[in-house]
Amino acid sequence: MHFNKILKKDKFTLILFHGVISNKKTRIRNYTKKHIEKKKFEKILKYLTAKGNPISLDQYINYQKKNIKLPKYSFSLSFDDGFENNFSVAFPILKKYKIPTIFYVSTNLVQKNLMTWIDQIEYLLEKKNFVIEDFMGTKKFNLSNKKNKINFLTFLRKKIKSNPSKYDVKKLVSEIYAAANEKIIESSSHELDKKMSLSQIKKISNNKLFTVGAHCHNHVSMAFLNKRELKYEITTSIKVLENNIKRKIYHFSYPEGMWNDFNQKVIDELKKNKIVCCPTAIFGHNKINENLFFLKRIMIT
Protein backbone atom coordinates (compact mmCIF):
# COMPACT_ATOMS: atom_id res chain seq x y z
CA MET A 1 0.00 0.00 0.00
CA HIS A 2 1.36 3.43 -0.92
CA PHE A 3 2.13 5.52 2.14
CA ASN A 4 0.08 8.56 1.07
CA LYS A 5 -3.14 6.60 1.45
CA ILE A 6 -2.69 4.83 4.76
CA LEU A 7 -3.99 7.27 7.38
CA LYS A 8 -7.69 7.33 8.32
CA LYS A 9 -9.34 10.34 9.94
CA ASP A 10 -11.08 8.61 12.83
CA LYS A 11 -8.96 5.48 13.23
CA PHE A 12 -5.59 4.53 14.69
CA THR A 13 -3.04 3.32 12.14
CA LEU A 14 -0.26 1.08 13.44
CA ILE A 15 2.41 0.84 10.76
CA LEU A 16 4.64 -2.24 10.46
CA PHE A 17 8.27 -2.11 9.36
CA HIS A 18 11.07 -4.65 9.56
CA GLY A 19 14.14 -2.76 8.46
CA VAL A 20 15.62 0.36 6.89
CA ILE A 21 18.71 0.05 4.70
CA SER A 22 21.19 2.51 3.22
CA ASN A 23 20.54 1.51 -0.39
CA LYS A 24 19.56 -1.45 -2.52
CA LYS A 25 22.52 -3.62 -3.54
CA THR A 26 20.95 -7.04 -4.06
CA ARG A 27 19.21 -8.84 -6.94
CA ILE A 28 17.14 -11.52 -5.20
CA ARG A 29 17.28 -10.57 -1.57
CA ASN A 30 14.66 -8.20 -0.20
CA TYR A 31 12.48 -8.59 -3.30
CA THR A 32 9.46 -8.20 -0.99
CA LYS A 33 10.87 -4.82 0.16
CA LYS A 34 10.69 -5.87 3.79
CA HIS A 35 13.63 -3.52 4.34
CA ILE A 36 12.88 -0.02 3.04
CA GLU A 37 15.60 2.23 1.63
CA LYS A 38 16.61 5.11 3.88
CA LYS A 39 15.51 7.88 1.50
CA LYS A 40 12.05 6.38 1.10
CA PHE A 41 11.73 5.86 4.85
CA GLU A 42 12.42 9.52 5.53
CA LYS A 43 9.95 10.51 2.82
CA ILE A 44 7.30 8.39 4.55
CA LEU A 45 7.99 10.00 7.92
CA LYS A 46 7.79 13.50 6.41
CA TYR A 47 4.37 12.67 5.00
CA LEU A 48 3.11 11.08 8.21
CA THR A 49 4.16 13.96 10.45
CA ALA A 50 2.68 16.53 8.04
CA LYS A 51 -0.63 14.69 7.64
CA GLY A 52 -1.15 12.82 10.91
CA ASN A 53 -0.84 12.89 14.68
CA PRO A 54 1.82 10.55 16.07
CA ILE A 55 0.90 8.84 19.34
CA SER A 56 2.49 5.95 21.19
CA LEU A 57 0.84 2.57 21.51
CA ASP A 58 0.57 3.23 25.25
CA GLN A 59 -1.27 6.49 24.51
CA TYR A 60 -3.72 4.60 22.27
CA ILE A 61 -4.31 2.12 25.10
CA ASN A 62 -4.86 5.00 27.53
CA TYR A 63 -7.35 6.69 25.16
CA GLN A 64 -9.19 3.38 24.98
CA LYS A 65 -9.31 2.86 28.75
CA LYS A 66 -10.60 6.38 29.35
CA ASN A 67 -12.90 6.35 26.31
CA ILE A 68 -11.21 9.47 24.93
CA LYS A 69 -11.71 10.32 21.27
CA LEU A 70 -8.70 9.58 19.10
CA PRO A 71 -6.76 12.48 17.58
CA LYS A 72 -7.52 12.80 13.87
CA TYR A 73 -5.28 10.72 11.61
CA SER A 74 -3.53 9.16 14.62
CA PHE A 75 -0.71 6.71 13.96
CA SER A 76 2.25 4.94 15.51
CA LEU A 77 5.17 2.92 14.13
CA SER A 78 6.38 -0.58 14.90
CA PHE A 79 9.37 -2.72 13.90
CA ASP A 80 9.46 -6.52 14.09
CA ASP A 81 12.32 -9.00 14.61
CA GLY A 82 15.20 -6.82 15.89
CA PHE A 83 17.36 -6.02 12.86
CA GLU A 84 20.48 -3.95 13.57
CA ASN A 85 19.51 -1.44 10.91
CA ASN A 86 16.61 -0.47 13.20
CA PHE A 87 19.24 1.06 15.47
CA SER A 88 21.95 2.24 13.07
CA VAL A 89 19.71 3.60 10.28
CA ALA A 90 16.11 4.04 11.49
CA PHE A 91 16.71 5.13 15.10
CA PRO A 92 18.41 8.49 14.28
CA ILE A 93 15.69 9.36 11.74
CA LEU A 94 12.91 8.47 14.18
CA LYS A 95 14.48 10.71 16.82
CA LYS A 96 14.70 13.54 14.28
CA TYR A 97 10.96 13.33 13.51
CA LYS A 98 10.02 12.55 17.13
CA ILE A 99 7.69 9.68 16.23
CA PRO A 100 6.77 7.17 18.98
CA THR A 101 7.86 3.71 17.88
CA ILE A 102 7.77 0.23 19.36
CA PHE A 103 10.45 -2.36 18.58
CA TYR A 104 9.41 -6.02 18.89
CA VAL A 105 12.46 -8.24 19.40
CA SER A 106 12.96 -11.98 18.88
CA THR A 107 15.47 -12.54 21.65
CA ASN A 108 17.30 -15.68 20.48
CA LEU A 109 17.79 -14.13 17.05
CA VAL A 110 19.31 -11.10 18.76
CA GLN A 111 21.46 -13.00 21.25
CA LYS A 112 22.98 -15.27 18.57
CA ASN A 113 22.57 -13.04 15.51
CA LEU A 114 20.47 -15.75 13.85
CA MET A 115 18.70 -15.55 10.49
CA THR A 116 15.10 -16.61 9.93
CA TRP A 117 14.53 -19.58 7.63
CA ILE A 118 13.43 -17.43 4.70
CA ASP A 119 16.44 -15.13 5.05
CA GLN A 120 18.71 -18.18 5.01
CA ILE A 121 17.18 -19.27 1.71
CA GLU A 122 17.24 -15.79 0.19
CA TYR A 123 20.92 -15.50 1.18
CA LEU A 124 21.72 -18.72 -0.69
CA LEU A 125 19.74 -17.81 -3.81
CA GLU A 126 21.44 -14.43 -4.01
CA LYS A 127 24.81 -16.04 -4.66
CA LYS A 128 24.15 -19.50 -6.13
CA ASN A 129 22.44 -21.03 -9.19
CA PHE A 130 21.34 -24.66 -8.87
CA VAL A 131 18.58 -27.19 -9.51
CA ILE A 132 16.54 -28.86 -6.78
CA GLU A 133 14.70 -32.11 -7.56
CA ASP A 134 11.57 -33.65 -6.01
CA PHE A 135 11.05 -30.85 -3.49
CA MET A 136 7.78 -30.41 -1.55
CA GLY A 137 5.80 -32.50 -4.02
CA THR A 138 7.09 -30.59 -7.05
CA LYS A 139 9.26 -32.41 -9.54
CA LYS A 140 11.93 -29.78 -10.13
CA PHE A 141 12.96 -26.17 -9.55
CA ASN A 142 15.58 -24.73 -11.89
CA LEU A 143 17.01 -21.89 -9.82
CA SER A 144 19.25 -20.39 -12.47
CA ASN A 145 17.71 -16.95 -12.99
CA LYS A 146 16.07 -14.14 -11.04
CA LYS A 147 12.51 -14.89 -12.15
CA ASN A 148 12.69 -18.57 -11.19
CA LYS A 149 14.29 -17.77 -7.85
CA ILE A 150 11.64 -15.23 -6.89
CA ASN A 151 8.87 -17.63 -7.99
CA PHE A 152 10.47 -20.30 -5.78
CA LEU A 153 10.64 -17.97 -2.78
CA THR A 154 7.02 -16.89 -3.32
CA PHE A 155 6.01 -20.57 -3.52
CA LEU A 156 7.81 -21.31 -0.23
CA ARG A 157 6.31 -18.36 1.60
CA LYS A 158 2.80 -19.24 0.50
CA LYS A 159 3.12 -22.95 1.33
CA ILE A 160 4.75 -22.62 4.72
CA LYS A 161 2.91 -19.58 6.03
CA SER A 162 -0.47 -21.04 5.06
CA ASN A 163 0.14 -24.10 7.27
CA PRO A 164 3.14 -23.61 9.59
CA SER A 165 2.55 -26.82 11.54
CA LYS A 166 2.88 -28.99 8.45
CA TYR A 167 6.49 -28.17 7.61
CA ASP A 168 9.83 -28.56 9.38
CA VAL A 169 11.54 -25.39 8.16
CA LYS A 170 14.97 -26.44 9.45
CA LYS A 171 14.72 -29.61 7.37
CA LEU A 172 13.61 -27.66 4.30
CA VAL A 173 16.52 -25.24 4.66
CA SER A 174 18.88 -28.21 5.00
CA GLU A 175 17.49 -29.83 1.83
CA ILE A 176 17.85 -26.62 -0.18
CA TYR A 177 21.43 -26.01 0.95
CA ALA A 178 22.30 -29.66 0.24
CA ALA A 179 20.93 -29.32 -3.31
CA ALA A 180 23.18 -26.28 -3.78
CA ASN A 181 26.13 -28.18 -2.26
CA GLU A 182 26.63 -25.38 0.26
CA LYS A 183 27.16 -25.30 4.02
CA ILE A 184 24.15 -23.87 5.88
CA ILE A 185 24.51 -20.22 6.88
CA GLU A 186 22.76 -19.34 10.15
CA SER A 187 24.33 -15.97 10.91
CA SER A 188 25.36 -13.03 8.75
CA SER A 189 26.62 -9.48 9.23
CA HIS A 190 24.88 -8.27 6.06
CA GLU A 191 22.56 -5.31 6.69
CA LEU A 192 19.58 -7.49 5.71
CA ASP A 193 20.49 -10.05 8.38
CA LYS A 194 22.43 -8.55 11.26
CA LYS A 195 20.48 -8.19 14.50
CA MET A 196 20.73 -5.57 17.21
CA SER A 197 22.90 -6.15 20.25
CA LEU A 198 21.36 -6.11 23.71
CA SER A 199 23.24 -2.87 24.43
CA GLN A 200 21.64 -1.23 21.37
CA ILE A 201 18.20 -2.40 22.51
CA LYS A 202 18.85 -0.89 25.92
CA LYS A 203 19.82 2.45 24.34
CA ILE A 204 16.54 2.45 22.40
CA SER A 205 14.52 1.70 25.54
CA ASN A 206 16.22 4.54 27.41
CA ASN A 207 14.66 7.06 25.02
CA LYS A 208 11.17 8.05 26.20
CA LEU A 209 9.87 8.13 22.63
CA PHE A 210 10.46 4.42 22.15
CA THR A 211 9.20 1.15 23.60
CA VAL A 212 10.64 -2.36 23.46
CA GLY A 213 8.37 -5.40 23.22
CA ALA A 214 8.87 -9.14 22.84
CA HIS A 215 8.40 -11.14 19.64
CA CYS A 216 9.00 -14.72 20.86
CA HIS A 217 12.41 -16.18 21.66
CA ASN A 218 12.81 -18.08 18.38
CA HIS A 219 10.42 -16.25 16.00
CA VAL A 220 8.00 -19.16 15.56
CA SER A 221 4.32 -19.39 14.71
CA MET A 222 2.82 -19.65 18.20
CA ALA A 223 -0.54 -21.29 17.53
CA PHE A 224 0.96 -24.73 16.91
CA LEU A 225 3.22 -24.90 19.95
CA ASN A 226 2.36 -27.21 22.82
CA LYS A 227 1.79 -25.74 26.27
CA ARG A 228 5.41 -26.19 27.39
CA GLU A 229 6.86 -24.75 24.18
CA LEU A 230 4.48 -21.80 24.23
CA LYS A 231 5.32 -20.92 27.83
CA TYR A 232 9.05 -21.16 27.06
CA GLU A 233 8.86 -18.91 23.99
CA ILE A 234 6.89 -16.21 25.80
CA THR A 235 8.54 -16.23 29.22
CA THR A 236 12.09 -16.51 27.89
CA SER A 237 11.69 -13.60 25.48
CA ILE A 238 10.19 -11.41 28.20
CA LYS A 239 12.81 -12.38 30.78
CA VAL A 240 15.77 -11.71 28.44
CA LEU A 241 14.46 -8.25 27.61
CA GLU A 242 13.52 -7.33 31.19
CA ASN A 243 16.95 -8.38 32.46
CA ASN A 244 18.54 -6.22 29.77
CA ILE A 245 16.49 -3.00 29.86
CA LYS A 246 15.68 -3.18 33.60
CA ARG A 247 11.96 -2.50 33.22
CA LYS A 248 8.80 -4.55 32.76
CA ILE A 249 7.73 -5.78 29.33
CA TYR A 250 4.02 -5.29 28.66
CA HIS A 251 4.06 -5.47 24.87
CA PHE A 252 4.34 -8.41 22.47
CA SER A 253 3.66 -9.07 18.77
CA TYR A 254 2.88 -12.40 17.14
CA PRO A 255 5.61 -13.70 14.79
CA GLU A 256 4.17 -13.89 11.25
CA GLY A 257 0.99 -12.49 12.81
CA MET A 258 -1.71 -13.89 10.55
CA TRP A 259 -4.95 -15.56 11.70
CA ASN A 260 -3.40 -19.03 11.77
CA ASP A 261 -0.40 -17.93 13.85
CA PHE A 262 -2.22 -17.25 17.13
CA ASN A 263 -5.33 -18.34 19.01
CA GLN A 264 -7.02 -17.99 22.40
CA LYS A 265 -4.50 -20.36 24.00
CA VAL A 266 -1.70 -18.00 22.94
CA ILE A 267 -3.59 -14.92 24.15
CA ASP A 268 -4.30 -16.53 27.53
CA GLU A 269 -0.61 -17.35 28.01
CA LEU A 270 0.39 -13.80 27.07
CA LYS A 271 -2.06 -12.39 29.61
CA LYS A 272 -0.63 -14.70 32.30
CA ASN A 273 2.69 -12.99 31.63
CA LYS A 274 1.17 -9.49 32.09
CA ILE A 275 1.19 -8.63 28.38
CA VAL A 276 -1.44 -5.95 27.74
CA CYS A 277 -1.27 -5.59 23.96
CA CYS A 278 -0.23 -7.85 21.08
CA PRO A 279 -0.76 -6.62 17.49
CA THR A 280 -1.20 -8.91 14.51
CA ALA A 281 0.24 -8.45 11.02
CA ILE A 282 -3.27 -8.52 9.54
CA PHE A 283 -3.93 -5.56 7.27
CA GLY A 284 -6.22 -2.84 8.55
CA HIS A 285 -6.92 0.18 10.77
CA ASN A 286 -8.11 0.25 14.36
CA LYS A 287 -11.12 1.80 16.08
CA ILE A 288 -10.87 3.23 19.57
CA ASN A 289 -12.48 0.12 21.08
CA GLU A 290 -10.38 -2.47 19.21
CA ASN A 291 -9.38 -5.65 21.08
CA LEU A 292 -5.73 -5.07 22.08
CA PHE A 293 -4.82 -8.65 21.12
CA PHE A 294 -6.29 -8.28 17.63
CA LEU A 295 -4.89 -4.91 16.57
CA LYS A 296 -4.28 -4.69 12.83
CA ARG A 297 -1.19 -3.20 11.21
CA ILE A 298 -0.25 -1.86 7.78
CA MET A 299 3.06 -2.77 6.21
CA ILE A 300 4.47 -0.20 3.80
CA THR A 301 6.73 -1.52 1.00
Side-chain angles (χ1 to χ4, degrees):
M1 185 175 189
H2 197 273
F3 62 85
N4 66 4
K5 298 179 180 178
I6 67 169
L7 298 181
K8 297 289 185 182
K9 186 176 181 180
D10 297 315
K11 291 186 180 179
F12 172 61
T13 305
L14 184 55
I15 301 167
L16 168 60
F17 295 103
H18 286 85
V20 182
I21 54 177
S22 301
N23 51 65
K24 185 179 180 183
K25 301 175 184 176
T26 54
R27 292 177 60 251
I28 307 301
R29 301 214 60 191
N30 199 38
Y31 75 97
T32 60
K33 299 179 182 177
K34 183 169 78 173
H35 297 261
I36 290 179
E37 291 182 55
K38 181 180 178 180
K39 286 183 179 179
K40 182 176 180 180
F41 182 65
E42 187 152 11
K43 188 176 180 181
I44 292 167
L45 299 196
K46 283 181 181 179
Y47 166 78
L48 290 172
T49 51
K51 172 75 172 179
N53 284 296
I55 63 173
S56 70
L57 194 49
D58 280 327
Q59 284 176 300
Y60 169 77
I61 294 168
N62 191 48
Y63 286 140
Q64 187 180 102
K65 284 180 179 178
K66 295 182 179 180
N67 198 27
I68 298 172
K69 188 176 180 180
L70 286 169
K72 292 179 181 178
Y73 301 104
S74 62
F75 73 93
S76 195
L77 307 185
S78 65
F79 281 80
D80 279 5
D81 299 351
F83 289 98
E84 196 277 340
N85 61 48
N86 294 182
F87 180 82
S88 59
V89 184
F91 185 50
I93 302 172
L94 292 164
K95 287 192 291 184
K96 174 183 174 182
Y97 287 90
K98 298 179 180 178
I99 300 178
T101 305
I102 186 163
F103 297 84
Y104 297 108
V105 178
S106 292
T107 45
N108 200 34
L109 270 60
V110 161
Q111 288 179 305
K112 299 177 182 177
N113 191 37
L114 296 176
M115 302 162 73
T116 62
W117 65 270
I118 195 65
D119 284 337
Q120 287 179 281
I121 298 169
E122 282 194 12
Y123 181 96
L124 175 65
L125 296 183
E126 181 70 30
K127 68 172 187 172
K128 191 76 181 277
N129 296 328
F130 59 99
V131 174
I132 185 166
E133 304 272 3
D134 300 319
F135 182 73
M136 292 180 73
T138 303
K139 188 175 181 181
K140 182 178 180 180
F141 286 98
N142 184 357
L143 304 175
S144 59
N145 60 62
K146 182 177 179 179
K147 181 180 178 182
N148 287 357
K149 289 179 178 182
I150 290 176
N151 286 342
F152 178 64
L153 288 164
T154 302
F155 165 81
L156 284 176
R157 279 187 160 95
K158 185 176 180 180
K159 277 275 187 181
I160 295 170
K161 293 188 178 188
S162 65
N163 193 355
S165 65
K166 185 178 178 180
Y167 302 101
D168 182 340
V169 291
K170 286 187 178 180
K171 184 179 178 182
L172 293 176
V173 169
S174 180
E175 289 178 19
I176 294 168
Y177 270 79
N181 197 27
E182 291 282 340
K183 183 180 178 181
I184 295 175
I185 299 295
E186 295 183 336
S187 181
S188 164
S189 59
H190 191 282
E191 67 176 340
L192 296 175
D193 301 310
K194 188 177 180 181
K195 306 303 184 295
M196 286 189 283
S197 67
L198 289 174
S199 63
Q200 288 173 327
I201 293 168
K202 189 171 183 179
K203 285 178 182 177
I204 286 174
S205 74
N206 286 337
N207 189 304
K208 292 181 180 179
L209 266 178
F210 307 121
T211 306
V212 171
H215 193 51
C216 262
H217 190 51
N218 287 293
H219 196 277
V220 290
S221 179
M222 299 166 73
F224 304 98
L225 300 177
N226 63 40
K227 187 176 181 179
R228 179 186 60 81
E229 292 168 335
L230 180 60
K231 182 178 179 180
Y232 173 81
E233 286 292 332
I234 294 172
T235 58
T236 305
S237 59
I238 291 172
K239 190 178 295 183
V240 169
L241 290 174
E242 288 183 342
N243 288 342
N244 178 52
I245 68 174
K246 307 304 179 186
R247 56 174 59 95
K248 290 291 184 182
I249 294 293
Y250 298 107
H251 292 276
F252 207 101
S253 72
Y254 311 107
E256 305 300 346
M258 303 311 288
W259 287 116
N260 60 346
D261 295 304
F262 65 97
N263 53 29
Q264 192 59 47
K265 175 185 70 174
V266 173
I267 294 170
D268 289 344
E269 189 63 37
L270 289 169
K271 288 180 177 179
K272 283 182 188 177
N273 285 273
K274 311 301 181 186
I275 297 299
V276 299
C277 181
C278 188
T280 71
I282 297 162
F283 181 91
H285 300 82
N286 302 288
K287 300 175 183 178
I288 186 61
N289 59 349
E290 210 76 47
N291 187 315
L292 294 175
F293 288 82
F294 290 89
L295 291 184
K296 300 178 183 69
R297 290 192 283 176
I298 290 177
M299 183 173 172
I300 303 175
T301 58

